[in-house]
Amino acid sequence: MNIAGNMTAGTEEILTPEALEFLYCLHDQFNGRRKALLENRRHRQLRFDAGEKPDFLDDTKHIREGDWTVAPIPADLQDRRVEITGPVDRKMIINALNSGAKAFMADFEDATSPTWSNMIEGQVNIKDAVRKTIEFHQLSNGKTYRLNEETAVLLVRTRGLHLDENHVLIDKEPMAGAFFDFGLYLFHNAAALLARNTGPYFYLPKLESHLEARLWNDVFVFAQQKLGIPNGTIKATMLIETIPAAFEMDEMLYELRDHAAGLNCGRWDYIFSFLKRLHKQHDVILPERGQVTMLAPFMRAYTQLCIQTCHKRNAFAMGGMAAQIPIRHNPEANEEAFRKVAEDKRRETLDGHDGTWVAHPGLVPVALAEFDKHMPTPNQLHRKREDVHVTASDLLEVPEGSITEEGFRMNIHVGVQYIASWLNGNGAVPINHLMEDAATAEISRSQVWQWIRHPEAKLIDGREITIDLFKTVFNEEMENLKTLVGEKEYRLGHYKEAGELFAELTLNDEFEEFLTIPGYGKLQ
Ligand SMILES: CC(=O)SCCNC(=O)CCNC(=O)[C@H](O)C(C)(C)COP(=O)(O)OP(=O)(O)OC[C@H]1O[C@@H](n2cnc3c(N)ncnc32)[C@H](O)[C@@H]1OP(=O)(O)O
Ligand SMILES: O=CC(=O)O
Ligand SMILES: [Mg+2]
C-alpha cells in the first residue's frame, strides 16, 4: 500500500496502520466488483446509445410485487424533516450541526472538491464533530465556533463509485474514493457514535442499479463483521439521482433492506443522468436548465414514485435541494428566493416526503415552517400514496420548453466558473445567487454538449446551435469572466484551465461520464 498524498495536517491521525489495514481489506474484497459494475454501466450506455430506453426489469418483478419491508430504522432518524448539507469544511460543519436542522449530511461528494487535503481534513473534522470536540477560530472576526448542546444527527455522503482516490495505491492500483471515505469514517467513529446512542449513517450517491446497492450491502456486512459491530448497525440513504435507478427503487431497497434508511430524490444529478444516459437519443432534448423544474411531469413522476416505493417498504422518502440561497443586502430578492424555497418544500411535504434538504442555515427555518405546518407527525410513512400510478413512459416524458441565447450563455458561464472553483479546491459556490455544485455544473456542460450536436435543438429565435456558435459564445464568456473577476483572479483562480476543460468536454464527441474524472487529473 502506497500513500502518494503528502503528509498534510491530520494524515497521521487518520491514516493509522490499523485504519490502513481496514482500507486494504475493503479494497481487496470489493474493488474488483466495483470495477465490474462500472463496466456494466458502460455496457448499458451502449444499449442506450443504440436507442434502448430504460425500463423496469423483468427478472426482479417478484421483488417489486413482494411483500417485504426494510429493517427498523433507529430512533434518531425517525424525524428527518429538515437536513442541511454542506462540504466537510471545519467551520461549516459546526454551523451545520448548530443550524437547528434535524440532520446534517457532511458531503465528500457533490459539494466537495476531492483534493487530498480536503479528504484528510474532512475526516479529521468529522471525527472531532462526532466527539463534540470540534472548534474553529476565525482570525478575520476573532470568533470561535463550538458545538451547541443540541446538534443535528450526522450523516456522511461518500464519493460515488466512479471516483478513484489516486493518493492511495494498493498493488499500484488506486483505491475507490467511496471506500476510502466510507472506511475511514466507519473505522474511526463507529464505536464513538454507538456510545452516543447514534450510529454510522451514510448517504450513497449516484447509484445506477440494484447490483450496486448489493455491493454496498456486502461492504457493510463485511465492515461490520470486521469491526465487531452488529449487522444492520450501518444505515444508508440511497440517492435516486440517476435515470436507471428510478426503475430499480424497490430492488435497491430490497438489496439494502437490513441497512436502508430511505431514498432521496437527488434532483440535480437526476437531470444530469437523464441527459447523459440518453445523450444520443434525438427525441430527448431538454429545455434550458432554468425551465427543468420539479413541476415538469417527468420529475413529478419520479418523486411521487419514490415516495410510494419508500412508504410501501417503511423507508423514508427524502426530498431534494432547491437551488436558491439567501441574498444578503437585497431584501426583495431575498424574499423571492425564500418564497421559492418555501414553495418547493410545501410541495414536497404535501406530496408525502418525510423530509428535505437545505443548502444554507438561513433556509432551515423556511423548510421547517413548511414541514411543521403540513407534517404534524415525525414522518409520513403512513401515507402509502396508493393513488400514484407511474409508468415507464411517465418517467421518460421529455418536458416542453425552450432554449434562449441567455440560457446557452449561462450554461457556459456558470459551468466554467464552477469548474474554476472546483479546481481551486472549493466544491460548492454561490453563482448568481444560486447554489452550484458538481451536479448542477454537470447539467450545464451536458446541455451544451447535446445542443450543439442535435439539429432538433434550436434557439428560440430559430438559430441552430452549432459548434461555431459555441466557440464564439465561449470566447465571449471567457472574456466576460475575465472582466468580472479581474485579470489577477482569472490567472490565479484556474479560469483558463477551467475553460479548457469545459471546451474539451463539450467538443469531445465521446460524452465524458463525469466532468470530475478528467477534472481530478488536473487537481493534483
Ligand atoms: C446537488 C446537491 O448535491 S445539493 C448538496 C450538496 N451541496 C451543498 O451541500 C451546498 C451547501 N451550501 C454551501 O456550500 C453554501 O451555502 C454556498 C456555497 C451555497 C453559499 O455559501 P456562502 O455564500 O459562503 O454562504 P454565506 O456567505 O451566506 O454564509 C453565511 C454563513 O452561513 C454558513 N453556511 C453557509 N452554508 C452553509 C452550510 N451548507 N452548512 C453550514 N454552514 C453554512 C457560512 O459558513 C457562514 O457562516 P459564518 O456567518 O459563521 O461565517
Ligand atoms: O445530490 C443531489 C443532487 O441533486 O444531485
Ligand atoms: Mg447529486
Side-chain angles (χ1 to χ4, degrees):
M1 198 162 183
N2 178 22
I3 307 301
N6 52 28
M7 294 303 275
T8 173
T11 312
E12 275 179 34
E13 177 189 342
I14 295 300
L15 298 185
T16 59
E18 297 77 14
L20 287 175
E21 166 69 20
F22 185 61
L23 292 186
Y24 178 90
C25 294
L26 288 177
H27 175 87
D28 187 49
Q29 288 284 322
F30 298 108
N31 198 46
R33 267 176 71 190
R34 172 184 78 105
K35 284 169 57 183
L37 287 165
L38 292 177
E39 202 48 36
N40 280 359
R41 288 187 189 175
R42 273 187 283 276
H43 289 143
R44 209 163 179 193
Q45 183 65 54
L46 293 177
R47 301 210 307 269
F48 294 142
D49 290 352
E52 188 179 307
K53 300 268 195 231
D55 205 347
F56 298 100
L57 307 178
D58 282 338
D59 51 2
T60 52
K61 199 160 178 248
H62 61 287
I63 292 172
R64 289 196 298 283
E65 290 176 356
D67 190 17
W68 50 269
T69 54
V70 303
I73 298 172
D76 62 344
L77 286 178
Q78 287 294 318
D79 186 339
R80 309 171 64 173
R81 63 189 61 221
V82 178
E83 298 187 341
I84 187 168
T85 70
V88 287
D89 164 272
R90 200 161 178 86
K91 181 177 82 171
M92 281 173 105
I93 287 179
I94 302 173
N95 281 341
L97 288 168
N98 286 343
S99 67
K102 293 283 180 190
F104 163 50
M105 184 194 77
D107 193 12
F108 284 94
E109 216 244 350
D110 285 336
T112 291
S113 164
T115 63
W116 178 242
S117 58
N118 281 349
M119 297 297 100
I120 294 293
E121 284 163 25
Q123 290 287 344
V124 173
N125 296 341
I126 48 179
K127 182 166 174 255
D128 293 347
V130 167
R131 288 157 183 79
K132 303 228 171 206
T133 56
I134 188 168
E135 271 190 17
F136 176 75
H137 187 71
Q138 184 155 299
L139 288 175
S140 61
N141 62 5
K143 193 171 159 189
T144 298
Y145 293 76
R146 289 191 190 87
L147 290 181
N148 295 341
E149 200 53 47
E150 216 172 293
T151 54
V153 174
L154 181 63
L155 299 100
V156 168
R157 179 160 74 171
T158 70
R159 275 171 279 182
L161 289 171
H162 58 286
L163 278 176
D164 289 339
E165 176 46 77
N166 282 350
H167 302 92
V168 180
L169 300 173
I170 300 175
D171 300 328
K172 299 201 173 123
E173 181 180 56
M175 84 169 291
F179 297 159
F180 181 84
D181 304 337
F182 161 78
L184 289 174
Y185 179 61
L186 189 76
F187 182 85
H188 288 297
N189 302 294
L193 287 161
L194 293 172
R196 289 172 187 273
N197 289 325
T198 181
Y201 302 149
F202 291 91
Y203 259 105
L204 301 177
K206 295 185 176 57
L207 298 180
E208 302 231 356
S209 78
H210 67 290
L211 298 180
E212 296 178 9
R214 183 179 297 169
L215 169 69
W216 272 113
N217 192 65
D218 292 347
V219 169
F220 292 170
V221 170
F222 175 85
Q224 289 165 149
Q225 212 167 36
K226 197 109 190 112
L227 296 181
I229 51 180
N231 196 51
T233 304
I234 295 172
K235 292 294 170 193
T237 306
M238 289 173 277
L239 281 127
I240 299 300
E241 54 180 354
T242 67
I243 184 72
F247 290 85
E248 298 186 33
M249 292 195 248
D250 264 314
E251 291 87 337
M252 289 166 71
L253 280 175
Y254 183 77
E255 292 294 342
L256 222 69
R257 61 197 178 282
D258 289 340
H259 297 104
L263 302 177
N264 172 299
C265 292
R267 58 179 75 169
W268 302 106
D269 265 310
Y270 189 75
I271 298 170
F272 163 53
S273 172
F274 193 85
L275 284 162
K276 174 168 71 177
R277 290 290 169 242
L278 306 176
H279 71 265
K280 284 248 164 81
Q281 306 201 2
H282 290 274
D283 54 342
V284 184
I285 310 290
L286 293 189
E288 64 190 35
R289 223 182 94 170
Q291 294 179 26
V292 188
T293 70
M294 296 310 289
L295 298 181
F298 81 120
M299 297 301 276
R300 297 266 323 128
Y302 135 73
T303 53
Q304 304 220 38
L305 180 62
C306 178
I307 295 165
Q308 184 190 49
T309 307
C310 284
H311 288 185
K312 186 168 178 197
R313 309 305 178 187
N314 286 352
F316 298 128
M318 301 300 296
M321 185 65 87
Q324 292 77 19
I325 45 177
I327 306 176
R328 250 174 293 164
H329 314 306
N330 186 342
E332 265 174 40
N334 192 60
E335 201 176 307
E336 179 59 8
F338 277 37
R339 191 192 60 72
K340 286 187 174 152
V341 175
E343 202 177 321
D344 187 66
K345 303 309 154 198
R346 193 173 317 128
R347 177 189 42 73
E348 289 182 329
T349 169
L350 292 175
D351 277 352
H353 277 296
D354 301 290
T356 191
W357 275 8
V358 294
H360 191 287
L363 294 168
V364 172
V366 179
L368 267 179
E370 294 303 327
F371 273 81
D372 287 350
K373 184 166 173 197
H374 302 290
M375 190 175 87
T377 43
N379 53 61
Q380 311 202 64
L381 288 182
H382 54 280
R383 290 185 60 197
K384 298 297 177 196
R385 293 300 318 266
E386 279 159 359
D387 56 308
V388 169
H389 302 284
V390 170
T391 63
S393 58
D394 295 332
L395 290 169
L396 296 170
E397 186 178 329
V398 180
E400 304 269 312
S402 57
I403 306 167
T404 62
E405 181 178 330
E406 198 194 347
F408 181 58
R409 275 184 190 278
M410 196 61 82
N411 273 338
I412 298 171
H413 189 89
V414 167
V416 173
Q417 229 179 313
Y418 176 77
I419 294 172
S421 148
W422 191 88
L423 292 173
N424 282 320
N426 187 3
V429 268
I431 304 178
N432 301 333
H433 307 304
L434 296 177
M435 177 221 69
E436 296 289 338
D437 69 7
T440 59
E442 291 280 25
I443 300 174
S444 289
R445 67 96 184 179
S446 306
Q447 291 210 309
V448 178
W449 187 98
Q450 198 188 38
W451 292 341
I452 63 174
R453 281 179 181 76
H454 289 277
E456 294 83 352
K458 289 200 176 25
L459 290 179
I460 195 165
D461 58 17
R463 272 180 296 158
E464 259 187 53
I465 309 177
T466 59
I467 292 186
D468 281 348
L469 181 70
F470 166 68
K471 287 181 178 164
T472 306
V473 173
F474 174 78
N475 289 333
E476 287 169 6
E477 286 307 321
M478 290 304 286
E479 281 306 311
N480 288 343
L481 278 171
K482 201 183 285 180
T483 311
L484 182 75
V485 302
E487 289 270 355
K488 189 169 167 211
E489 171 60 16
Y490 186 87
R491 194 164 22 86
L492 298 177
H494 290 108
Y495 282 83
K496 188 164 168 285
E497 293 92 324
E500 282 164 5
L501 179 55
F502 192 95
E504 204 177 290
L505 290 164
T506 308
L507 295 173
N508 187 349
D509 278 338
E510 283 298 308
F511 188 99
E512 183 64 62
E513 183 76 357
F514 289 100
L515 74 81
T516 47
I517 292 178
Y520 191 48
K522 295 179 196 287
L523 261 192
Q524 321 306 315

